[in-house]
Amino acid sequence: MLKLRHLTLCVALGGTSANALAAEELHLYNWGDYINPEVLTRFSAATGIKVSLDTYGSNEEMLAKLQAGAKGYDIVFPSVHMHDTMAVLDLLEKTDINQDPAFANIDPAFLRAKSDPKGEYCMPYAWGTVGIFYNKNKVSKPIESWDDFFAEAQAGKKVILLDDMRETLGVGLIKDGKSVNTTNAAELKQAADWLIERKPLVSAFTYDSVPMVQSGDAAAAHYFVGAMMYVKQDPQNLAYVIPKEGATMYQEDVCVLKSAPNKAAAKRFMSFLLQPEIAALNTAQQMNGTPNREALKLLPAELRDNPQVNPPAEVMAKLQIFGDLGKGLKQYDRVWTRVRTAN
């Protein structure tokens, strides 16, 4: 993903003094390119609240920074399993966002966090799949599966996997018909063996594969549905597909930190995101899925009806989402280390 290192937005409203604006701030900590900048601009214009945005590359990076003592952040965007982890660690503020009348726009199916089944703390933000992003000019035929992906590598083309423990082990587990949340040692070993057997075919493990696929330096990459942003810009040359064996899906939530210095502003931002036109504005730029049912109606048909972005029921049935593994995470750490250090 693109990494926006720091973005600050402040739009002065007519008749509002600079000193008054300085008293109202909001500090977001989000994934690299996971919000439409126009959403932040509109929020500042509507409220006079100055918004700053810092970014992270993984749930683990975000949590580690907070646990190391990072202060000043108001809102984070954890994946569902990290939402549950942060709840156990008592890092999240109860917002009662579910009492907002506009919370009725949220599809209850996306209240996935076991620690927050009613949405009393956090709010579903966005969701999507993790599949294969590829350059049409560099593959022998359209990619439909992980077998097709590795067949291109066997033919001498460069392919890339994510440098992500859960996602990449998840590919091995899905190929074997297993749960991406298994803690069965034999199943994890089999997934690792499958990946290690194919490791010589993998050119790199990285999140930064988009430029390589765009340029044709790599034929295909394991990547997020956000790649549809690039497919939209260059549909003749680029494509994204959900592998027919199935895939992982992700969902991030909007959470206010218990240590947030600007809790009132944070709750206003959550309410702002509930507005269908704002959620649709964000989704249309991000090219992913939205849990906001009213926003879905406002999306352009080519996005709303795109089967790679909003898959049909039979594909949705093959998608798996990560859960909080608790102590089982140590097993994954060991198996992943084995994959990454294998020759």
Side-chain angles (χ1 to χ4, degrees), residues 24 44 66 107 113-114 124 181 185 216-217 239 242 254 297 328 338:
E24 290 260 43
S44 290
L66 294 177
D107 184 339
K114 295 176 183 177
N181 297 304
D217 183 49
I242 300 170
V254 186
K297 298 174 184 178
R338 180 174 158 242

Side-chain angles (χ1 to χ4, degrees), residues 221-235:
H222 179 203
Y223 204 71
F224 310 92
V225 71
M228 288 297 296
M229 286 191 283
Y230 310 106
V231 174
K232 182 180 179 181
Q233 294 164 7
D234 190 10

Side-chain angles (χ1 to χ4, degrees), residues 167-178:
E167 290 291 359
T168 301
L169 287 176
V171 173
L173 290 166
I174 288 170
K175 277 292 297 179
D176 197 34
K178 299 299 190 293

